[in-house]
Amino acid sequence: ISGFLITAHLVSRPPRRPRDLADFWGRRIRRLLPASLLVLACTIAAVWLVAPETEWQANARDAQLAALYVLNWGLAGSAVDYLAADNLPTAVQHFWSLSVEEQFYFVWPILVALAVLAGRRSARATTIALATTLGAVVLASFAFSVERTASNPAAAYFITPTRMWELGIGGLVALLVSRRELPVADLRV
């Protein structure tokens, strides 16, 4: 759903210059970061109040990574396996998926801007450039996901390149159902 919604937004108002990208990212930060930080602060306070001291350090480390939206990479680096009985999750481990989503929000607008720039001659060329670019990313991510899941499933579960295709599918669906004329004005990216 996130891939669909963000792509629909980006296609209707594609970034035309670096300032547009900064504005897009600024809106995401203002919308998500305050709530995320509040949840993380309350969670860490609760951990310090009710969890044994042996759990404090791991929870604090994961909360820091979650606040920076890179928890998924931290978990992949430690090869956390949800199914392993000896790997107890921290109180914020569920933030890994938000990290993937925020990383998607960082990369996807750049891809959309570059595709629109490449196809700026006409609405049809823009649509083709978007579909080709986004489709190539989805296919590459899916192929990488299949390969990495076979070779290192615990890390593959968390890392962004193995998850990008899932959000990208939503983006392709948004592109397919879009009935609007795509803007074709010159982009200065």
Side-chain angles (χ1 to χ4, degrees), residues 12-28:
S12 70
R13 294 181 22 209
R16 301 187 182 285
R17 56 190 188 278
R19 175 69 184 173
D20 294 341
L21 290 170
D23 289 345
F24 173 84
W25 293 323
R27 286 189 303 273
R28 302 283 93 53

Side-chain angles (χ1 to χ4, degrees), residues 11 35 69 84 95 107 126 138 146 164 166 176 186:
V11 166
Y69 296 117
F95 266 73
V107 172
T126 301
V138 167
V146 169
M164 194 81 149
E166 297 168 326
L176 286 173
D186 182 33

